[in-house]
Amino acid sequence: MTGSRATSPQAARSPKTGHGSGIALLVICSCQLMVVLDITIVNIALPHIQTSLGFSTENLSWVVNAYTLTFGGLLLLGGRLGDILGRRRVFMFGVALFVLASLLGGLSQESWQLLAARSLQGVGGAIASPTALSLITTTFSEGPERNRAFGVFAAVSAGGSAIGLLAGGLLVEWLDWRWIFFVNVPIGLLIVLATRRYIRESERHPGHFDVIGALTATLGMVSLVYGFIRASEEGWSDTLTLVAFAAAVVLLASFVMIENRSRQPITPLWMFRDRNRAGTYGMMLSLAAAMFGMFFFLTLFVQNILEFSPLRTGLAFLPVSAIIAVGAGITSQLLPKFGPKPFMVTGAVLAAVGLGWLTQTDVHSTYLGSLLGPVLVFGLGMGLQFVSLTLMAVSGVQSKEAGAASGILNTTQQVGGSLGLSILVTVFGTASRNEATDQVPKFLAEATPGQRAEFRRTGQLPGQWGDQVLASGVSSAFVVAAAFALAAALIALFVIQVRPSDLERLRGGGAMPGAPVDDAEQTADGADTRGPAAEPSDPGDGERPDAAP
């Protein structure tokens, strides 16, 4: 399918400055918050949704998965759409689609209606989210101005999960579960209206939509995620589990072959030849796995063992959002002086330390005495990470490929989170079953006749015995989550290399991203990182060749 014609040079404009740029950043970040927040806001409402629409316990997980799978699977296509059709236009369409799906979700009367609406929400989010990140690169001049914009965007992206838990608790406890969807409608409409006024259109680059590549990538990632989810429920020898993994291997291998042969691939594979960019994607994959696991299992722990209400659970995560914002702010200010690597290494180590600390949780743990400290350490580590990761992912990319670069970064975050959570759920299930084997004899020796009868009926250990099983599983899951964060730290230490020209660009001088790199900017092994078609960035795409802020 052929994309639209490029706009005339006169249509391209310089990045915004002043008051208008501040409103533009507010609009872009509001969209990102709405999209990211929706991944976790539903978690608090799941019991109410189950009762209202008659979901079985097994099928209830698809209320979450229907969104994350379509969102993560279609992000690459969403980024490419913005490059070819114009980022403002595609951004507005994605937000409008998200609003429509939210309205349909809130009005759902049957379980299949809600699942369809959640899938449509994922499609809208996949179109809007990577385009939002690309709009920052074409709205703000490179240097301190863009660093600050990325800092705000990264803080919103990282803190959205915790904010979603708080918002979910408020809406469910004070209103109704349907309002977790209805609340998106007025917010999304305001974003669309403000976008028309305060955000300028980017240049449209002629090209083709890599439909086959998009389909194989999406279906391959969906199969892979489904395989892990299925394995956590039915085991690794289950027939559908094996079929899902086999299909994922075939589809993803086909995707790589298609992209290698395509003249205009949805994912330019040359981007991975840059060791910094490839390392950034690997770090995001690992850190997202750790972050999704932390929020999921900590929510499970505080609601089931500490017996927090939905609202109190949301409030318990507020310090995470605050410390992530602090970390992101510190990084955006100091990045031009020290470069991204120190923050990437330190942030990943802090995340690993926080998760390692959480492995000590047990049935006697308290929020203030046992959870708050490690959560703050983890949050600070993640705050130090996201600005650096975002900048490294889009640095040195031609303006017409910015959508693809940001789409890959968002994809690794969502897919990494889904895959990682599935792995952690499998670890949790194995540890819980082992602990249950030890707890059942103790329960039978101490339980009342009524408790024994209830156990025979439900198969669930009650009270202190059930809490011990849950705590053991959560602690084991945090061990693997800490290993994910440690892997990210090793990548940052041994893979990421910051060149003097990278620091110069961060300070607002030097070549723009997408400008040709000289021989001194080759990687350590001598490989040129520009890709097969490196060329100067077109200044008409909202970026000035003399980008001094």
Side-chain angles (χ1 to χ4, degrees), residues 60-352:
L60 187 64
S61 64
W62 284 107
V63 176
V64 176
N65 295 334
Y67 180 82
T68 57
L69 292 180
T70 52
F71 182 61
L74 294 175
L75 277 169
L76 295 176
L77 180 60
R80 186 62 173 161
L81 287 172
D83 290 337
I84 295 177
L85 297 179
R87 289 163 191 156
R88 187 182 75 161
R89 176 181 294 104
V90 170
F91 177 76
M92 291 171 62
F93 175 78
V95 173
L97 187 62
F98 191 90
V99 167
L100 174 62
S102 298
L103 179 62
L104 294 175
L107 295 174
S108 298
Q109 301 299 316
E110 301 287 343
S111 58
W112 68 267
Q113 294 172 348
L114 180 58
L115 294 183
R118 290 289 286 164
S119 298
L120 193 61
Q121 272 189 310
V123 176
I127 294 172
S129 183
T131 313
L133 183 56
S134 299
L135 282 172
I136 290 183
T137 66
T138 56
T139 302
F140 297 91
S141 301
E142 185 164 18
E145 183 183 18
R146 189 180 294 177
N147 295 346
R148 287 191 294 268
F150 275 133
V152 175
F153 186 89
V156 168
S157 299
S161 297
I163 296 172
L165 292 168
L166 174 59
L170 289 170
L171 292 171
V172 172
E173 194 156 316
W174 292 355
L175 296 173
D176 181 78
W177 70 264
R178 296 181 184 277
W179 279 94
I180 66 174
F181 300 112
F182 287 148
V183 72
N184 292 328
V185 176
I187 296 174
L189 292 177
L190 287 174
I191 290 173
V192 171
L193 293 174
T195 300
R196 290 181 60 87
R197 180 174 177 82
Y198 292 103
I199 296 180
R200 296 169 178 166
E201 183 60 275
S202 65
E203 182 181 4
R204 289 180 287 167
H205 299 279
H208 294 78
F209 297 116
D210 183 11
V211 177
I212 302 300
L215 288 176
T216 52
T218 301
L219 294 176
M221 287 187 288
V222 168
S223 297
L224 188 60
V225 171
Y226 176 77
F228 278 106
I229 293 173
R230 181 79 182 183
S232 68
E233 297 173 347
E234 304 295 338
W236 294 96
S237 60
D238 176 71
T239 301
L240 283 180
T241 299
L242 298 176
V243 169
F245 282 128
V249 170
V250 172
L251 288 166
L252 293 176
S254 300
F255 168 70
V256 173
M257 294 175 60
I258 291 169
E259 299 305 279
N260 272 326
R261 297 175 181 176
S262 176
R263 294 183 59 187
Q264 294 182 329
I266 190 174
T267 306
L269 297 180
W270 64 262
M271 290 184 181
F272 293 91
R273 293 207 294 268
D274 185 309
R275 62 184 296 163
N276 285 345
R277 193 170 297 113
T280 297
Y281 293 147
M283 289 185 66
M284 180 62 83
L285 196 75
S286 299
L287 289 170
M291 184 173 68
F292 276 49
M294 192 278 291
F295 281 119
F296 179 85
F297 287 108
L298 212 53
T299 302
L300 197 65
F301 186 89
V302 299
Q303 288 201 43
N304 288 277
I305 294 181
L306 301 185
E307 298 182 344
F308 281 20
S309 67
L311 178 57
R312 193 178 178 191
T313 299
L315 291 172
F317 283 97
L318 271 183
V320 182
S321 300
I323 199 66
I324 286 176
V326 170
I330 293 173
T331 304
S332 63
Q333 293 296 321
L334 299 180
L335 202 63
K337 182 177 181 180
F338 298 103
K341 183 168 182 173
F343 299 99
M344 298 170 85
V345 174
T346 304
V349 169
L350 287 175

Side-chain angles (χ1 to χ4, degrees), residues 287-513:
L287 289 170
M291 184 173 68
F292 276 49
M294 192 278 291
F295 281 119
F296 179 85
F297 287 108
L298 212 53
T299 302
L300 197 65
F301 186 89
V302 299
Q303 288 201 43
N304 288 277
I305 294 181
L306 301 185
E307 298 182 344
F308 281 20
S309 67
L311 178 57
R312 193 178 178 191
T313 299
L315 291 172
F317 283 97
L318 271 183
V320 182
S321 300
I323 199 66
I324 286 176
V326 170
I330 293 173
T331 304
S332 63
Q333 293 296 321
L334 299 180
L335 202 63
K337 182 177 181 180
F338 298 103
K341 183 168 182 173
F343 299 99
M344 298 170 85
V345 174
T346 304
V349 169
L350 287 175
V353 169
L355 291 167
W357 192 352
L358 285 172
T359 63
Q360 304 304 306
T361 55
D362 57 30
V363 292
H364 304 294
S365 296
T366 63
Y367 175 73
L368 291 177
S370 307
L371 303 183
L372 182 59
V375 163
L376 290 177
V377 172
F378 175 84
L380 179 60
M382 297 305 292
L384 295 178
Q385 287 290 331
F386 279 100
V387 178
S388 302
L389 291 172
T390 303
L391 283 170
M392 292 297 289
V394 300
S395 177
V397 177
Q398 298 175 49
S399 62
K400 65 181 181 181
E401 301 288 3
S406 58
I408 296 172
L409 181 66
N410 279 278
T411 296
T412 55
Q413 181 179 5
Q414 300 307 320
V415 173
S418 298
L419 290 175
L421 181 56
S422 299
I423 294 171
L424 295 177
V425 166
T426 302
V427 173
F428 168 83
T430 301
S432 297
R433 285 190 292 271
N434 292 339
E435 183 64 27
T437 301
D438 296 334
Q439 290 296 321
V440 167
K442 299 177 182 178
F443 164 74
L444 294 176
E446 301 177 23
T448 65
Q451 288 176 322
R452 293 193 192 98
E454 182 68 13
F455 174 68
R456 285 192 295 269
R457 187 180 69 83
T458 64
Q460 301 294 319
L461 288 170
Q464 61 181 343
W465 303 280
D467 288 348
Q468 185 62 49
V469 171
L470 177 62
S472 177
V474 168
S475 177
S476 298
F478 281 137
V479 171
V480 180
F484 287 149
L486 185 59
L490 294 175
I491 293 174
L493 187 62
F494 295 109
V495 177
I496 302 298
Q497 291 185 340
V498 180
R499 298 160 292 216
S501 57
D502 295 327
L503 292 176
E504 183 67 20
R505 285 198 294 266
L506 288 172
R507 297 184 183 113
M512 291 293 296

